[in-house]
Amino acid sequence: MRLSRYFLPVLKQNPAEAQIASHRLMLRAGMLRQEAAGIYAWLPLGFRVLRKIEQIVREEMDRAGAIEVLMPTLQLADLWRESGRYDDYGAEMLRITDRHERELLYGPTNEEMITEIFRAYIKSYKELPKNLYHIQWKFRDEQRPRFGVMRGREFLMKDAYSFDVDDERGQASYNRMFVAYLRSFQRMGLQAVPMRAETGPIGGDLSHEFIVLAQTGESAVFLDRRMLELPVPGEEVDYDGDLSGVVADWTRLYAATEDAARYEAETAEADRLTARGIEVGQTFYFGDKYSKPMKANVSGPDGVDRPAQMGSYGVGISRLAGALIEAHHDEAGIIWPDAVAPFGVGVVSLRPGDKAVDAACESAYAALTRAGKEPLLDDTDDRPGGKFATMDLIGLPWQLIIGPRGLATGVVELKRRATGERRTLKLDEALAAICG
Ligand SMILES: Nc1ncnc2c1ncn2[C@@H]1O[C@H](COP(=O)(O)OP(=O)(O)OP(=O)(O)O)[C@@H](O)[C@H]1O
Ligand SMILES: [Mg+2]
């Protein structure tokens, strides 16, 4: 992408409405525009990040055996009457009436709809397990939308739903999602800790919240600091095998958003870490809470029908963009982890129009594009100081700075955003360092 043709409306001033770093930086870096309270348009730079986050989650869901679908945002109220949640959900639900006076709602979650789909097609244990997920906008009319995408009203969620014939297999499905979550967050460059959780309006009795530690987080967390040293399963993890050992390792130590008294009783003083955190995902196992009232039955090996055993698994895709910035920024701006960076490299031309500089920029741009590094070439006429500030603000992992003075002696400058380290190299060497 060439910056001269791109749409990157960066702000020089700190927006007054932003109270936390991620909100401030998303607005300043031209990622986001508020259209109404808790409702945002994703501008090009922000949208690229959103897509990267989404893709990592998608790949890990697929790897764990889940199958992607896409359900609509609007749902019939009658479907929610079947589970009894239409009345229970309260003011957070956005209720809509169409021209035929049919009651609809903008989905805050999809347990009912997926159960409806499941029961229409799946009748036998032989077709199980099944785990269906989608990545779709949700609406919750939050009382206090705030902190930008952290607590929006309209937000993007990945939600997966598992169906099994019995409790044991249902727990195994839960474990697969648990491991997929550990892997997804790690791949993005986040340390998310699974914490024992209450189940709230989703229901059930087994649940974990995956929480990224951050001072600006909305949840208080109590954890055993040894949680932070546990290894995350690698790519080779066998989702067909028994994952209960991994889950046991990750749930043995104390980690929860509450119960200071129990925490102190169960955790040695030296191991205690009280902090704040951002909930980026939650897993629930709730058995037949929806399948029973909604009659989503499957026949077992004995020929007897029984309600499918279900779990649901949410990831806050849009919230993650904010959480990532809370975890990775400094005074000058965002510091994207490579895996979610909107562009891999910023190529900064210090003198557009200069023949040698243009030629070097073009050849770097072509080579980086070929290598899949998604370069953003700053070919604008701005002053160098402004260009450097914008590059630091938008936080691309590498900056490749090309100017006439360096080229006269055959060199360019390469900066790593995360460390601030600068090196003066030949162009080929710089490209090798980026691609290596
Ligand atoms: N208002 C929101 N804005 C952005 N993301 C959200 C919002 N509500 C939930 N999420 C994300 O969706 C995920 C799954 O939804 P879940 O039903 O567990 O949310 P929740 O527990 O109600 O969230 P919270 O406790 O933060 O209100 C959450 O872990 C979170 O990352
Ligand atoms: Mg939750």
Side-chain angles (χ1 to χ4, degrees):
M1 182 57 61
R2 289 161 203 275
L3 192 53
S4 59
R5 300 179 199 167
Y6 201 46
F7 178 52
L8 184 71
V10 297
L11 306 179
K12 297 238 154 44
Q13 306 296 327
N14 276 330
E17 72 268 28
Q19 298 166 33
I20 62 171
S22 58
H23 189 194
R24 187 165 64 239
L25 290 170
M26 288 180 89
L27 293 173
R28 283 201 51 205
M31 295 176 66
L32 206 63
R33 170 123 193 116
Q34 181 171 313
E35 295 298 333
I39 300 179
Y40 293 90
W42 290 76
L43 303 181
L45 194 78
F47 188 48
R48 288 182 78 100
V49 173
L50 197 66
R51 294 284 280 272
K52 293 262 163 96
I53 296 169
E54 184 184 302
Q55 187 55 22
I56 290 174
V57 172
R58 176 178 288 119
E59 285 170 17
E60 293 302 326
M61 283 293 112
D62 293 349
R63 200 195 293 273
I67 309 165
E68 189 168 13
V69 297
L70 183 57
M71 291 177 268
T73 53
L74 295 185
Q75 308 186 22
L76 284 175
D78 279 344
L79 189 57
W80 284 61
R81 292 200 170 96
E82 287 191 44
S83 69
R85 276 208 296 185
Y86 188 67
D87 296 323
D88 291 354
Y89 218 92
E92 276 197 9
M93 180 182 275
L94 179 62
R95 296 159 208 257
I96 302 161
T97 310
D98 72 11
R99 63 164 79 195
H100 305 295
E101 301 290 309
R102 284 262 246 172
E103 292 172 278
L104 299 164
L105 57 100
Y106 194 126
T109 178
N110 283 62
E111 280 80 8
E112 284 79 358
M113 189 176 283
I114 201 76
T115 305
E116 188 282 320
I117 293 171
F118 177 88
R119 77 180 171 196
Y121 301 107
I122 299 200
K123 307 290 180 195
S124 160
Y125 77 98
K126 290 185 189 148
E127 297 163 81
L128 301 182
K130 279 283 174 290
N131 184 325
L132 301 173
Y133 76 98
H134 72 162
I135 299 174
Q136 177 63 292
W137 295 91
K138 304 290 186 287
F139 195 94
R140 295 182 185 175
D141 205 351
E142 300 272 356
Q143 186 150 23
R144 285 187 67 199
R146 57 185 185 151
F147 301 154
V149 297
M150 292 288 209
R151 184 162 299 283
R153 292 197 296 162
E154 189 183 42
F155 60 95
L156 190 59
M157 193 201 286
K158 183 286 303 178
D159 38 326
Y161 303 88
S162 65
F163 297 87
D164 285 277
V165 65
D166 59 28
D167 190 61
E168 191 186 327
R169 290 179 181 83
Q171 302 262 353
S173 288
Y174 185 91
N175 292 346
R176 283 193 282 277
M177 289 293 102
F178 189 104
V179 170
Y181 276 33
L182 292 175
R183 285 192 39 77
S184 302
F185 299 129
Q186 159 151 308
R187 272 187 64 189
M188 283 171 212
L190 280 179
Q191 188 167 39
V193 183
M195 307 207 184
R196 198 170 51 231
E198 296 294 316
T199 52
I202 308 280
D205 49 23
L206 171 64
S207 180
H208 291 91
E209 288 170 340
F210 287 71
I211 293 189
V212 174
L213 302 187
Q215 278 165 6
T216 48
E218 289 187 285
S219 319
V221 298
F222 303 94
L223 78 154
D224 189 312
R225 66 174 74 248
R226 290 173 293 172
M227 289 288 283
L228 301 175
E229 262 102 64
L230 291 174
V232 170
E235 209 165 87
E236 71 295 339
V237 61
D238 177 12
Y239 281 104
D240 294 324
D242 180 6
L243 297 171
S244 58
V246 180
V247 174
D249 286 344
W250 277 91
T251 51
R252 190 171 294 125
L253 299 171
Y254 198 97
T257 51
E258 65 222 320
D259 211 345
R262 186 166 156 203
Y263 172 58
E264 281 169 22
E266 291 182 21
T267 316
E269 199 164 351
D271 295 327
R272 287 182 207 157
L273 178 63
T274 55
R276 301 200 68 77
I278 302 163
E279 179 193 326
V280 289
Q282 187 164 8
T283 50
F284 300 88
Y285 180 67
F286 44 71
D288 63 5
K289 178 172 160 84
Y290 298 90
S291 51
K292 197 165 172 194
M294 294 185 65
K295 302 193 177 55
N297 295 323
V298 285
S299 62
D302 52 6
V304 178
D305 276 1
R306 66 203 76 197
Q309 300 296 307
M310 294 175 59
S312 77
Y313 315 91
V315 169
I317 303 284
S318 49
R319 179 180 286 181
L320 273 164
L324 277 155
I325 297 175
E326 289 299 324
H328 302 287
H329 70 273
D330 63 13
E331 287 294 296
I334 303 167
I335 305 171
W336 290 114
D338 295 72
V340 292
F343 295 96
V345 195
V347 180
V348 180
S349 169
L350 292 180
R351 194 171 300 162
D354 176 291
K355 268 212 179 74
V357 173
D358 286 351
C361 285
E362 289 303 326
S363 105
Y365 185 77
L368 291 166
T369 303
R370 270 198 307 278
K373 292 293 160 188
E374 302 178 298
L376 176 67
L377 170 60
D378 186 347
D379 55 349
T380 65
D381 294 325
D382 288 355
R383 284 177 308 104
K387 293 190 175 198
F388 296 144
T390 296
M391 278 298 163
D392 280 352
L393 174 63
I394 67 173
L396 310 183
W398 297 98
Q399 298 171 17
L400 179 61
I401 299 148
I402 302 180
R405 207 173 310 156
L407 284 183
T409 60
V411 294
V412 297
E413 197 176 8
L414 181 64
K415 175 174 162 181
R416 183 76 178 156
R417 175 67 178 91
T419 57
E421 184 202 0
R422 293 161 176 277
R423 283 189 283 165
T424 303
L425 301 165
K426 294 204 182 94
L427 181 56
D428 285 353
E429 294 167 342
L431 294 174
I434 296 168
C435 299

